[in-house]
Amino acid sequence: MSTPRPWKLLRSQIAFKHRWYTLRRDEVELPNGHVVDDFFVSERPDGAYVFPLTEQNEVIFVRQYKHAAGKIFLELPAGSFFPTEEKAEDAAVRELVEETGAVTTQPLIPMAVIHDNPAKDTNRLHLFLAQNVRIEQKQVLDITEDIEVVPVPLDQVLPKILSGEICVSGSVCLCFLALRYLGQL
């Protein structure tokens, strides 16, 4: 059994470019010498997720339609950001306020930075826990957002994951990390 080795990048060209999505076509040489001339990579902004816990031990989730999947999902507040333009923690706080109208006076607690789909995507997900969160204002939604704020009792988060009601990968991962941090697992 051998140790995995990185691929050698021979050539890279942009197939499509937009501020929110770039599709790159790479030509790579595999460790076994085989050349793949059409390995496509999606360059996307990073994501910031927040697990917002209120003083009443409720987690503020959002329910919204996701067009690529064609379904409505229950998930944690989250959004995209460019790491060269904004800190992950600032993006998480911004998304929390925009999607839910909630704020916290305490610093966010970093839970992890994970890779969303490292086989094809470049983006990472930055996961945070926010405590003593309270809703203080109206949502600040953009034109594509129609979001319902859904408080969920902390002890109901795990059952909602296990039943499949919460099934967005970044939300599931952050829920498990936050529940473990809070001594709920």
Side-chain angles (χ1 to χ4, degrees):
M1 199 171 258
S2 66
T3 301
R5 293 171 286 160
W7 298 354
K8 181 179 178 184
L9 180 63
L10 303 175
R11 185 172 35 159
S12 185
Q13 60 187 19
I14 301 300
F16 175 81
K17 185 164 184 71
H18 183 275
R19 174 169 166 76
W20 296 103
Y21 180 82
T22 298
L23 182 62
R24 194 177 78 216
R25 181 180 180 167
D26 288 351
E27 181 178 341
V28 295
E29 182 180 331
L30 306 180
N32 63 10
H34 183 76
V35 173
V36 176
D37 68 353
D38 63 349
F39 193 89
F40 287 92
V41 175
S42 297
E43 296 180 3
R44 299 184 304 141
D46 281 4
Y49 279 71
V50 61
F51 185 96
L53 182 63
T54 69
E55 291 178 354
Q56 294 75 34
N57 266 344
E58 291 181 323
V59 182
I60 301 174
F61 281 84
V62 295
R63 190 183 328 267
Q64 61 185 316
Y65 175 76
K66 297 294 183 158
H67 184 67
K71 292 172 53 176
I72 294 172
F73 291 93
L74 182 65
E75 60 187 332
L76 293 170
S80 298
F81 74 100
F82 295 96
T84 57
E85 298 174 14
E86 186 178 23
K87 292 180 182 176
E89 184 173 343
D90 294 341
V93 168
R94 173 180 48 77
E95 289 296 332
L96 177 63
V97 171
E98 288 177 3
E99 293 188 357
T100 69
V103 298
T104 181
T105 56
Q106 297 182 344
L108 299 187
I109 301 168
M111 294 281 103
V113 177
I114 62 172
H115 289 266
D116 192 21
N117 177 18
K120 292 288 185 179
D121 297 338
T122 60
N123 68 317
R124 299 169 301 160
L125 303 180
H126 303 257
L127 311 178
F128 297 94
L129 167 64
Q131 295 179 293
N132 298 319
V133 172
R134 59 190 179 285
I135 296 176
E136 288 193 350
Q137 66 183 57
K138 287 184 174 184
Q139 296 164 296
V140 184
L141 304 177
D142 70 39
I143 195 164
T144 64
E145 294 177 315
D146 179 19
I147 297 175
E148 175 189 4
V149 175
V150 182
V152 174
L154 184 62
D155 65 358
Q156 291 302 304
V157 172
L158 183 58
K160 287 185 180 300
I161 292 169
L162 297 176
S163 73
E165 187 177 351
I166 298 169
C167 62
V168 176
S169 61
S171 290
V172 170
C173 181
L174 178 50
C175 284
F176 276 113
L177 291 169
L179 289 171
R180 190 183 104 214
Y181 180 89
L182 296 166
Q184 300 294 307
L185 290 180

